[in-house]
Amino acid sequence: MNGTEQCCRIGKRDLTGMMKRLRIIVIASIVALSGQAVAQSTYVPLDHQVYPLLVKGETLGLFESYRMRTLPLTRTEVLEMLTSMDRAREKLSRADADLLEQMLGEFTDPAIGEPAPPGSEPHAFRYEEGSTQIFVDTRVTQEFHAHRDRVHLEDETISKTSASVHLRARFGDHVFLGASARSALSVGEKRLESHFDPSQGQPQVVVGRTVFTDQTTGYVGLRYGSFNLFAGRMYLGWGSGVYEQLAVSASNEPMEMVRFVADFEAFRFSYFHANLKGISQGRYFVGHRLDILLPRGLQVGIYETVVYGGRGVQFEYLNPFVFYNILEKQLGDLDNKTAGVDLTLMVTPGLRAYAEVFIDDLNVSKSISRFWGNKLAYHIGMQWSQPLKWREGELFATYTRIDPYVYTHYNPLNVYVHYNESLGSKLGPNSDRYYFGIVYQPQRDIRTELSFSSRRHGAGTIYGPVRPADEYSKEFLAGVVETEKTIDLRFRYQLHRNIFVGFQVRHSSRENVDNLPHLRAAEKFFRVFLDIDYY
């Protein structure tokens, strides 16, 4: 290569970098001139690719925020974090910096009456009138699933097609609206039974050999300064864990709820009161938590939750500011109350440690390790971003343990479930799991994840038993123990902005399946997908 060619190539790279930076400057200028909100305070779907980027940005020390402990985030919160990351983008890999630029454009809404800024998200429909701004977006996904060698279940090859519509709107500077509707159909499933009972899981309708499952959300939000109030049907997750939460799992189905958040620089107070599905009508879930941002990279979250049922809404639980442990006892000690604490420590830029302790019941006068009434769950993990200067990689390691009888309750109405699944960890009581994961993102459009997990499960489920036969001892993993070792590989490629293709391969080796001695299985799962996501 001669000097002229080399100079031209360097010049092209410099020009490309300058153009990318210019686009961000243009976006910032439009925001500054408009004086209006640049992102609506509507929730971002939990499967959006911005979340792993934010997790990495926080771990690298590009911003410090307790907001990541309560999900989903609003578009306003996401844009604030992305803007903080942009100020230190030189600490990111090239792939992450390119993805950051794409996300900045996606989460910067155009000012009312102004054209969309460069790099902004395309929309199926945009409507504006006065101080009202409405966006409508769509998503279509086509997947093929193959299940092989499962115990008690036939092999299946399933085609799954889903289509969804998403609406988000702002009315002035303080009122926001979010809504979504998704319809999915599956062909090839062996279980062809319609059911509308949420105690059996998500309802489904069978027409011929096609299975239909639908889901919808919708809520209104009020934002004024540091205070946010949401009411409607929405998702919710709590905790410091990236892949696991013990009190309120981010993988739960949506719930009808009222949610209140008071957000300050050093702390955040959150509250919700929700309606649960399954077991029977008239079941409720209430919780509040306080997140505190401390010096030296330490974040602490303290929370209480209550599941109650068999009566109408308990007005005392509509008070966000009382201690539920005391209140539940004053109401007759009838409900399933829990408490917990989760911690996040930024050990050094790039290395984060986190932990959570969930207390279903606690009697300090009895043995913590032996007495059945001390029903505890633990989760501890670490995330290492850019390990050993490998800027495109991340490492994860976690351990989760759920004691026997956790989440259970003597009153079946108060079992810690929603749509037939645990509200907290999906492991269920009397279980533990080790998890190790590696993520490789060599460029913006390619993401590969490889993980290994080892799970053990003893006798018992979330529905029972609720106490041991001897009325005292809890024996962790006693008797016949089911074990499962799983290797999971996932690959995703962004063909074009908002158009993704990919696959997943999973192999699980199980022993003593369903706690039955010597019953073995080597289950295999394969998934390939096309995802056209304009939201």
Side-chain angles (χ1 to χ4, degrees):
M1 180 187 302
N2 59 41
T4 302
E5 292 175 338
Q6 184 176 10
C7 180
C8 290
R9 293 194 178 186
I10 294 174
K12 289 180 180 178
R13 287 199 299 266
D14 291 343
L15 180 60
T16 301
M18 291 174 61
M19 291 301 296
K20 289 180 178 179
R21 296 298 296 172
L22 181 60
R23 288 167 64 184
I24 302 301
I25 293 172
V26 170
I27 292 173
S29 300
I30 292 174
V31 171
L33 291 173
S34 68
Q36 300 185 46
V38 297
Q40 297 177 354
S41 287
T42 51
Y43 287 126
V44 179
L46 289 167
D47 61 351
H48 197 288
Q49 64 174 332
V50 75
Y51 284 106
L53 178 65
L54 293 176
V55 168
K56 180 181 287 189
E58 183 185 31
T59 302
L60 290 173
L62 306 189
F63 62 88
E64 192 173 38
S65 176
Y66 43 75
R67 295 175 178 176
M68 297 289 290
R69 311 291 84 81
T70 55
L71 300 176
L73 299 172
T74 66
R75 290 178 60 87
T76 300
E77 293 170 325
V78 168
L79 183 58
E80 289 175 359
M81 296 176 190
L82 292 173
T83 303
S84 296
M85 292 178 64
D86 187 47
R87 298 190 188 105
R89 68 162 53 201
E90 68 278 358
K91 297 181 180 179
L92 295 171
S93 69
R94 176 65 179 272
D96 291 330
D98 289 345
L99 182 58
L100 170 63
E101 182 184 347
Q102 179 180 324
M103 294 297 99
L104 281 167
E106 181 170 335
F107 284 91
T108 302
D109 291 333
I112 294 177
E114 298 292 335
S120 64
E121 181 79 355
H123 301 285
F125 177 75
R126 173 184 173 185
Y127 177 80
E128 295 173 346
E129 181 179 330
S131 61
T132 296
Q133 185 179 53
I134 300 173
F135 297 105
V136 177
D137 299 288
T138 60
R139 181 177 186 179
V140 178
T141 304
Q142 176 63 56
E143 304 181 43
F144 294 95
H145 294 190
H147 299 270
R148 297 292 184 268
D149 301 325
R150 295 177 296 176
V151 174
H152 308 312
L153 296 172
E154 298 180 58
D155 289 351
E156 291 179 316
T157 300
I158 303 171
S159 169
K160 303 187 72 171
T161 306
S162 66
S164 58
V165 177
H166 305 266
L167 180 149
R168 57 184 179 87
R170 55 174 289 207
F171 307 95
D173 295 331
H174 305 294
V175 181
F176 300 88
L177 174 69
S180 68
R182 185 198 71 218
S183 182
L185 63 90
S186 301
V187 178
E189 293 194 28
K190 301 298 184 180
R191 183 190 175 192
L192 297 174
E193 298 177 0
S194 296
H195 72 83
F196 303 93
D197 182 359
S199 66
Q200 300 179 45
Q202 188 177 12
Q204 65 180 32
V205 178
V206 176
V207 179
R209 302 195 64 82
T210 302
V211 178
F212 292 87
T213 54
D214 302 328
Q215 189 56 273
T216 184
T217 62
Y219 57 88
V220 63
L222 303 177
R223 182 185 183 193
Y224 192 84
S226 299
F227 301 96
N228 293 269
L229 179 65
F230 295 91
R233 182 175 175 85
M234 64 196 90
Y235 293 90
L236 180 64
W238 276 3
S240 58
V242 176
Y243 297 109
E244 185 89 67
Q245 298 84 29
L246 300 181
V248 187
S249 172
S251 62
N252 287 329
E253 292 292 323
M255 294 173 269
E256 293 81 12
M257 71 174 72
V258 175
R259 184 182 178 197
F260 168 75
V261 179
D263 200 352
F264 300 93
E265 289 187 7
F267 68 92
R268 161 186 269 200
F269 178 79
S270 306
Y271 163 84
F272 71 88
H273 190 290
N275 182 44
L276 297 178
K277 300 295 184 182
I279 301 179
S280 75
Q281 298 294 322
R283 299 177 60 245
Y284 304 97
F285 187 35
V286 58
H288 56 192
R289 66 177 284 140
L290 179 65
D291 287 286
I292 306 172
L293 193 60
L294 298 173
R296 301 181 183 273
L298 178 62
Q299 302 171 28
V300 179
I302 306 168
Y303 60 80
E304 293 181 300
T305 71
V306 177
V307 173
Y308 71 97
R311 59 189 189 271
V313 172
Q314 190 75 50
F315 283 92
E316 289 86 343
Y317 288 139
L318 293 176
N319 186 341
F321 308 112
V322 296
F323 285 93
Y324 294 142
N325 184 65
I326 297 174
L327 183 61
E328 190 271 343
K329 292 178 180 177
Q330 292 182 349
L331 294 173
D333 200 15
L334 303 173
D335 308 322
N336 191 355
K337 65 181 183 297
T338 74
V341 57
D342 52 66
L343 308 171
T344 301
L345 176 63
M346 304 302 169
V347 180
T348 188
L351 182 60
R352 180 230 305 257
Y354 49 87
E356 181 176 1
V357 178
F358 177 80
I359 305 170
D360 192 339
D361 273 313
L362 183 64
N363 187 334
V364 294
S365 66
K366 303 290 182 65
S367 171
I368 296 294
S369 61
R370 296 289 296 169
F371 178 54
W372 77 270
N374 287 320
K375 301 188 292 184
L376 307 173
Y378 316 87
H379 178 63
I380 186 170
M382 59 79 63
Q383 175 195 1
W384 192 5
S385 295
Q386 301 184 357
L388 302 176
K389 298 184 179 181
W390 181 33
R391 292 171 67 86
E392 296 80 17
E394 287 183 280
L395 301 177
F396 295 88
T398 66
Y399 174 70
T400 307
R401 168 175 163 156
I402 315 294
D403 275 356
Y405 317 115
V406 171
Y407 302 131
T408 67
H409 197 263
Y410 70 87
N411 183 350
L413 293 178
N414 294 338
V415 177
Y416 210 76
V417 297
H418 177 55
Y419 280 109
N420 199 34
E421 286 197 342
S422 168
L423 284 160
S425 172
K426 307 309 178 185
L427 278 176
N430 205 16
S431 305
D432 71 349
R433 177 172 58 202
Y434 294 90
Y435 172 90
F436 304 94
I438 181 170
V439 175
Y440 176 50
Q441 187 148 1
Q443 55 177 277
R444 184 197 69 176
D445 299 332
I446 296 177
R447 182 177 178 87
T448 303
E449 302 177 46
L450 177 64
S451 66
F452 169 79
S453 64
S454 177
R455 179 184 67 89
R456 299 182 296 177
H457 171 63
T461 72
I462 198 168
Y463 295 103
V466 299
R467 65 180 62 193
D470 66 3
E471 295 291 323
Y472 185 84
S473 301
K474 64 175 179 182
E475 297 189 27
F476 184 62
L477 298 179
V480 178
V481 178
E482 178 186 21
T483 64
E484 180 179 18
K485 292 179 172 58
T486 300
I487 297 177
D488 192 292
L489 173 65
R490 303 177 186 225
F491 174 83
R492 188 191 68 200
Y493 178 65
Q494 185 173 226
L495 277 175
H496 182 67
R497 180 168 183 164
N498 305 101
I499 301 178
F500 305 89
V501 295
F503 67 84
Q504 176 186 2
V505 180
R506 184 174 68 229
H507 181 277
S508 298
S509 177
R510 301 174 66 187
E511 299 281 343
N512 302 327
V513 178
D514 296 334
N515 304 107
L516 298 175
H518 313 301
L519 183 57
R520 297 180 175 88
E523 299 181 350
K524 305 169 186 67
F525 172 74
F526 178 74
R527 176 175 72 104
V528 60
F529 67 88
L530 168 66
D531 186 8
I532 304 174
D533 182 7
Y534 281 90
Y535 182 64

